[in-house]
Amino acid sequence: MKRIAALILLASLSTSVLALEPFVVSDIRIEGLSRISAGTVFNYLQINKGDRLTNEEAQQAIRALYNTKFFSDVELERDGDILVVKVVERPSITKLTIRGNNDIKTDDLKKGLKDIGLSEGETFDRLALDRVQQELIRQYYNRGKYNVSVSPHVTQLDRNRVAIDIEIREGKVAKLKEVNIVGNTAFTTKDIESDFESGTTNWLSWYSKNDQYSQDKLSGDLKKLQSYYMDRGYADFGIDSTQVTIAPDKRAMYIAADVTQGDIYHISDTHLLGQLILPEDTLRKLVFVKNGDLFNRRAIEATSDSIKALLANIGYAFAKVNSVPKLDKEKHTADITWYIQPGPRVYVRRVIFQGNTRTEDDVLRREMRQLEGSWYSQAAIDRSKIRLQQLGFFKTVTIDKQTVPGTDDEVDLTVKVEEQSAGSLTFGVGYSQYSGIILSSSVSQNNFLGTGDRFTIGAERSDYLTQINAGYSTPYLTDNGIGLGYNASFSRADYSDLGSQYASYSNSTKSFSTTLTIPVTDFDRLSGSLGIGSTKINTYAGYTPQILIDYMNALGHNTIHSWTGSLSWVHDTRNSYWAPTHGGQLTATVSAALPGSTVQYWTFNGEANHYWPIGGGFVLYLDGKVGYGDTYGGKTFTSTTADYDPSANVGYKAGQAITFPFWMNFYAGGVTDLRGFQDNTLGPRACAGSTSTGGPIQPVNGYCANSTYSYAQPIGGAFKVLGTAEVYLPLPFLKDINTARVSLFMDVGQAYSTIQNFSAKQLDASAGVSLHWQAPIGPLIISLGFPFRTQVGDSQYEERIQFTFGSQF
């Protein structure tokens, strides 16, 4: 039909100019213009006054004007020696409306239509509208909707304008009713299809959409089918044909694939040929198949990739390694040869940064492990990308290489970054179930003036806490990455405002510290800090657990002065700052109140975690934490508590060694700790008030008889353990994992009075689902936790739904 239309058009063009005898054009007159300027016509006409116009030139002029797509009709006439150009303008599209589309967003559809030539403000072309209709149908076919209908409606308006209304009836997705593989006898259909994206309806289809047919999924599954056999010895496996059948109602699909399994082959020999560059013994270590092994295409391809990666790390950026199997169909053996073409060894001439409008080039350049003027190294480039991502300044980081024109041994690297907010000016209100309403004001910047320096000034007020802090750090005090930071803070916490839920006492703390960070390797860093601080503790008779009152009385000081020091080691291999998918972090920190402090104590905090991609977009995360504290130096209590009872080992006496200070105790429970339990409520507990003889009331099954409060109050302990297993889910509506992630979790942990009191039987555990969202108001965590292992007295602290947001993070 299109060919006939084209012939008619050419015939009409030829007819319109055949009547023109060659003549010299004295003037040109254009008729029929309303929106298009005369200058546009003259520009495409390419005929000027004084030109001698021939029939051939007239044809070319008409074609040129038609090709602008501005006109639906063009005629050339002669009025004496005047050339008359008569045109009929195409109408302009004043409004484009799309209705009925739910599966594809309107903005996405309009963007696709614009690429085809149909958008508001453009001239209207009926052929373009037909192409649009077919393209929309194709897009819905790819989504498995085969009974879709697309009906365009064109309404003529005044002033040569049209309004286009495209009505879409998407219909229902065609479901796969049967996937049949014909000819497979070596394996069960269930085993073969286990990794397919396509499949018949099951209980997970609402999530995986596996029962929705698409051509792309089918192509991918056929490749997986071939790989399944060829990875298990079937070197001459083949797919003979595939048939896709759709039911008359276009709601059901049936897929059949005819295959020829062939025979099982074993490796008879392996060869490395070409320009090896490195000793063959070195390359042989990267050959993942050996004589006698089953033919395995995955291992053969992995060998090629490993050799290319090794060569790329020593400068051969464009190395090619092709594997060629030679099959002996009688002996059923395969002889594998890898042909190595390293190409020229490549230098990196320049590293160019793009997209960093706020961040200075030096901040990016100091993270680069691929240097200008050195051999190309893919490993160094990959590490550079991870280091840039770990800064937290960029949403995306890509590094591309381009050959330098005129050379074959130089490349330029282009580092493209998409910056994201690295700081905030916040005046806000937050909420946490632990802290209640949080009023906060802060100025923070992790990339101060684009230098990579970090500073923060903030104030916070909640139901129990008042806090002010200020800090500044520079991660590159020297060129080799030594960093220096300072921090000053004041806080006052009055736990008595929280009622019986927590131990009732108050403390106010002032502190100042400075921290020096030293990089040891690309993955390891050491940091040490020195500081000074003072803490004032206030207890309340009858409300504060008696054991805490006894401790302060025996200590003989309400204000505790401390010289503090700490040493930390961090080993970080995570691939991303916000949302890692592989790698992990090891952390160990020893802190101490140094000699001369009121109470000399030390603490150890250790954490080990790791992320593993486990296929299908799922990520497994395991984390373990331990905290321990103790005193040192032989300092003793100066006073004897009034209720000291040596027979019951209750209270403190003068000369007794000072025990670990309760205000430094470890706690368990909370939305960022052991989920499903209220913050800081698990572990040792004590009763408020005292007995008739002055001694502490001992809790029984979490209850306190004749006490101010019915329940024992959490007081924490000197030892804590916590373990977490979490699986992050690849949810289709959360494609940007840097913004939000959903996970299934299981937490196990507990706090103990001392390490000697540790008992696995006392561990609490919970499981549930969690959402982490980098919301505009600040990071948000929502968890739905279900405790399934608890201790006596823990039930009152269970909390199913937990959330926290705002400046508390």
Side-chain angles (χ1 to χ4, degrees):
M1 189 68 187
K2 291 181 180 179
R3 179 177 294 180
I4 295 174
L7 292 174
I8 294 174
L9 174 62
L10 288 174
S12 64
L13 292 177
S14 301
T15 302
S16 65
V17 296
L18 282 175
L20 286 177
E21 295 292 335
F23 71 101
V24 176
V25 178
S26 63
D27 200 0
I28 300 175
R29 186 171 70 242
I30 302 174
E31 298 178 356
L33 294 179
S34 59
R35 296 188 328 275
I36 308 300
S37 67
T40 300
V41 176
F42 284 122
N43 185 54
Y44 289 100
L45 190 63
Q46 296 294 310
I47 299 174
N48 300 311
K49 294 179 182 179
D51 290 348
R52 186 174 184 276
L53 181 64
T54 65
N55 192 61
E56 181 180 354
E57 291 170 342
Q59 280 188 349
Q60 293 176 354
I62 292 176
R63 290 193 183 94
L65 291 176
Y66 266 115
N67 289 337
T68 64
K69 301 187 184 301
F70 295 152
F71 310 108
S72 59
D73 190 24
V74 178
E75 292 183 5
L76 297 185
E77 294 182 356
R78 178 178 177 180
D79 183 5
D81 290 335
I82 299 174
L83 176 64
V84 180
V85 181
K86 295 183 178 180
V87 296
V88 177
E89 291 183 355
R90 293 183 188 272
S92 65
I93 302 172
T94 188
K95 187 176 182 181
L96 176 61
T97 305
I98 302 175
R99 296 182 291 117
N101 55 302
N102 295 316
D103 198 37
I104 307 177
K105 294 181 180 179
T106 299
D107 290 343
D108 293 338
L109 287 175
K110 285 189 173 182
K111 183 179 179 181
L113 300 186
K114 186 175 182 179
D115 294 338
I116 297 176
L118 196 70
S119 63
E120 293 179 358
E122 299 291 335
T123 56
F124 174 62
D125 183 355
R126 172 66 67 175
L127 292 177
L129 185 61
D130 293 338
R131 291 196 300 271
V132 164
Q133 184 177 13
Q134 297 304 315
E135 173 62 19
L136 291 179
I137 291 174
R138 185 191 66 80
Q139 290 189 33
Y140 278 100
Y141 277 7
N142 287 341
R143 287 166 169 78
K145 294 188 173 183
Y146 288 90
N147 53 354
V148 63
S149 68
V150 178
S151 304
H153 305 285
V154 180
T155 303
Q156 298 290 336
L157 303 176
D158 58 353
R159 300 198 303 272
N160 199 25
R161 299 175 304 155
V162 296
I164 300 176
D165 176 54
I166 300 177
E167 181 183 6
I168 300 175
R169 295 180 181 178
E170 294 182 336
K172 299 294 183 179
V173 175
K175 302 290 185 179
L176 279 176
K177 296 301 181 181
E178 184 177 298
V179 179
N180 189 23
I181 301 174
V182 181
N184 62 305
T185 58
F187 307 104
T188 66
T189 301
K190 183 178 180 181
D191 289 339
I192 294 174
E193 296 178 356
S194 60
D195 197 33
F196 281 14
E197 290 189 53
S198 305
T200 54
T201 305
N202 57 43
W203 66 279
L204 278 177
S205 294
W206 64 272
Y207 168 72
S208 64
K209 310 298 183 184
N210 68 305
D211 59 347
Q212 296 183 6
Y213 170 79
S214 80
Q215 180 63 42
D216 292 340
K217 284 201 297 185
L218 176 59
S219 298
D221 290 339
L222 292 177
K223 291 180 180 178
K224 291 178 181 178
L225 172 62
Q226 187 177 36
S227 296
Y228 188 91
Y229 273 91
M230 298 189 76
D231 293 343
R232 290 163 175 78
Y234 291 87
D236 55 357
F237 172 84
I239 300 175
D240 301 325
S241 64
T242 57
Q243 301 87 35
V244 179
T245 306
I246 187 169
D249 62 359
K250 298 183 179 181
R251 296 287 301 277
M253 305 288 293
Y254 304 87
I255 298 175
D258 295 315
V259 303
T260 299
Q261 291 183 156
D263 299 306
I264 294 178
Y265 285 74
H266 288 80
I267 304 296
S268 59
D269 203 358
T270 59
H271 310 278
L272 296 173
L273 298 179
Q275 191 176 353
L276 303 189
I277 299 296
L278 297 171
E280 184 171 349
D281 290 345
T282 300
L283 297 178
R284 280 282 174 185
K285 296 177 182 178
L286 302 177
V287 176
F288 300 120
V289 293
K290 60 182 183 294
N291 295 354
D293 286 353
L294 275 177
F295 182 91
N296 187 319
R297 188 174 70 172
R298 181 180 300 178
I300 294 170
E301 292 176 349
T303 298
S304 298
D305 294 339
S306 298
I307 295 175
K308 282 194 293 185
L310 179 59
L311 294 175
N313 290 340
I314 58 173
Y316 297 93
F318 304 102
K320 297 179 180 178
V321 181
N322 298 316
S323 59
V324 179
K326 183 179 180 181
L327 304 183
D328 187 327
K329 295 185 178 295
E330 294 182 359
K331 297 180 180 179
H332 298 151
T333 59
D335 187 302
I336 312 297
T337 301
W338 288 272
Y339 291 95
I340 300 173
Q341 298 173 278
R345 197 175 188 190
V346 175
Y347 290 89
V348 173
R349 186 185 68 163
R350 289 193 303 164
V351 177
I352 305 164
F353 300 101
Q354 295 180 357
N356 54 314
T357 57
R358 295 191 299 269
T359 307
E360 296 178 359
D361 276 12
D362 286 346
V363 174
L364 284 76
R365 194 171 298 279
R366 67 197 186 192
E367 302 298 333
M368 295 295 296
R369 292 302 175 260
Q370 173 66 69
L371 304 179
E372 293 179 340
S374 63
W375 293 117
Y376 179 97
S377 171
Q378 189 62 51
I381 293 172
D382 293 342
R383 182 59 190 161
S384 300
K385 179 178 179 180
I386 290 175
R387 288 181 64 89
L388 290 171
Q389 290 173 331
Q390 289 179 336
L391 289 175
F393 307 159
F394 310 115
K395 187 175 182 180
T396 59
V397 178
T398 59
I399 302 179
D400 300 321
K401 64 177 182 287
Q402 305 89 28
T403 56
V404 176
T407 68
D408 61 356
D409 62 350
E410 288 184 325
V411 297
D412 289 336
L413 295 183
T414 301
V415 181
K416 299 178 182 178
V417 298
E418 181 182 351
E419 291 185 316
Q420 61 184 5
S421 176
S424 63
L425 171 64
T426 304
F427 300 91
V429 179
Y431 180 80
S432 114
Q433 289 156 307
Y434 174 42
S435 307
I437 300 296
I438 305 168
L439 302 177
S440 64
S441 175
S442 68
V443 178
S444 65
Q445 177 56 259
N446 290 332
N447 187 15
F448 181 58
L449 299 179
T451 63
D453 290 356
R454 302 176 178 91
F455 86 90
T456 179
I457 301 173
E460 186 175 305
R461 181 75 174 92
S462 67
D463 287 355
Y464 80 98
L465 177 68
T466 299
Q467 181 172 279
I468 302 171
N469 65 76
Y472 189 91
S473 66
T474 176
Y476 278 84
L477 182 67
T478 64
D479 291 340
N480 57 0
I482 294 178
L484 184 65
Y486 306 93
N487 189 76
S489 68
F490 167 79
S491 66
R492 186 181 187 280
D494 191 347
Y495 301 97
S496 63
D497 293 344
L498 300 177
S500 62
Q501 189 173 7
Y502 303 98
S504 298
Y505 69 92
S506 66
N507 67 40
S508 59
T509 301
K510 294 174 286 185
S511 67
F512 175 82
S513 64
T514 180
T515 302
L516 185 71
T517 302
I518 303 173
V520 179
T521 70
D522 236 18
F523 304 95
D524 300 87
R525 66 180 184 272
L526 289 175
S527 60
S529 70
L530 291 174
I532 185 172
S534 67
T535 300
K536 185 176 182 180
I537 306 291
N538 292 317
T539 59
Y540 309 100
Y543 294 93
T544 302
Q546 190 63 38
I547 190 172
L548 306 189
I549 296 176
D550 290 347
Y551 186 98
M552 295 305 299
N553 289 339
L555 187 63
H557 299 277
N558 283 340
T559 301
I560 295 91
H561 298 284
S562 300
W563 296 91
T564 59
S566 69
L567 183 64
S568 297
W569 167 72
V570 176
H571 177 74
D572 191 350
T573 60
R574 295 173 300 170
N575 68 320
S576 175
Y577 181 81
W578 293 111
T581 56
H582 61 80
Q585 191 173 39
L586 299 175
T587 305
T589 302
V590 177
S591 303
L594 302 175
S597 302
T598 305
V599 179
Q600 297 175 185
Y601 62 87
W602 64 274
T603 62
F604 171 80
N605 285 276
E607 181 176 6
N609 59 54
H610 202 88
Y611 297 83
W612 291 273
I614 54 178
F618 292 88
V619 177
L620 173 64
Y621 171 69
L622 297 180
D623 178 66
K625 297 178 183 177
V626 62
Y628 175 68
D630 203 352
T631 56
Y632 72 97
K635 276 198 171 188
T636 60
F637 289 111
T638 59
S639 304
T640 301
T641 59
D643 55 355
Y644 176 69
D645 182 356
S647 62
N649 194 27
V650 175
Y652 306 94
K653 65 178 180 178
Q656 178 182 340
I658 295 177
T659 56
F660 191 70
F662 64 85
W663 60 88
M664 295 299 300
N665 275 348
F666 299 95
Y667 293 82
V671 67
T672 59
D673 193 86
L674 205 165
R675 288 160 284 193
F677 298 92
Q678 295 177 21
D679 291 36
N680 300 335
T681 55
L682 302 182
R685 301 188 181 102
C687 298
S690 58
T691 64
S692 57
T693 60
I697 299 172
Q698 299 300 314
V700 178
N701 294 332
Y703 291 91
C704 299
N706 302 316
S707 174
T708 307
Y709 303 114
S710 300
Y711 296 100
Q713 299 176 348
I715 60 172
F719 181 64
K720 173 187 175 179
V721 292
L722 177 68
T724 294
E726 202 154 2
V727 176
Y728 292 96
L729 310 178
L731 300 180
F733 51 87
L734 291 178
K735 294 182 179 179
D736 185 2
I737 63 174
N738 289 302
T739 301
R741 300 179 93 179
V742 171
S743 65
L744 302 176
F745 69 83
M746 183 177 72
D747 297 331
V748 179
Q750 189 59 274
Y752 302 86
S753 57
T754 66
I755 193 171
Q756 290 78 16
N757 295 114
F758 171 77
S759 172
K761 295 181 180 179
Q762 295 178 6
L763 290 170
D764 283 8
S766 66
V769 60
S770 182
L771 166 67
H772 296 240
W773 179 30
Q774 297 291 334
I777 59 174
L780 168 67
I781 300 177
I782 303 176
S783 295
L784 177 62
F786 298 91
F788 62 87
R789 178 174 176 169
T790 60
Q791 307 303 312
V792 175
D794 289 348
S795 58
Q796 63 165 319
Y797 298 111
E798 293 182 10
E799 197 169 55
R800 295 288 188 272
I801 300 178
Q802 297 174 303
F803 62 91
T804 183
F805 66 83
S807 62
Q808 177 171 314
F809 288 84

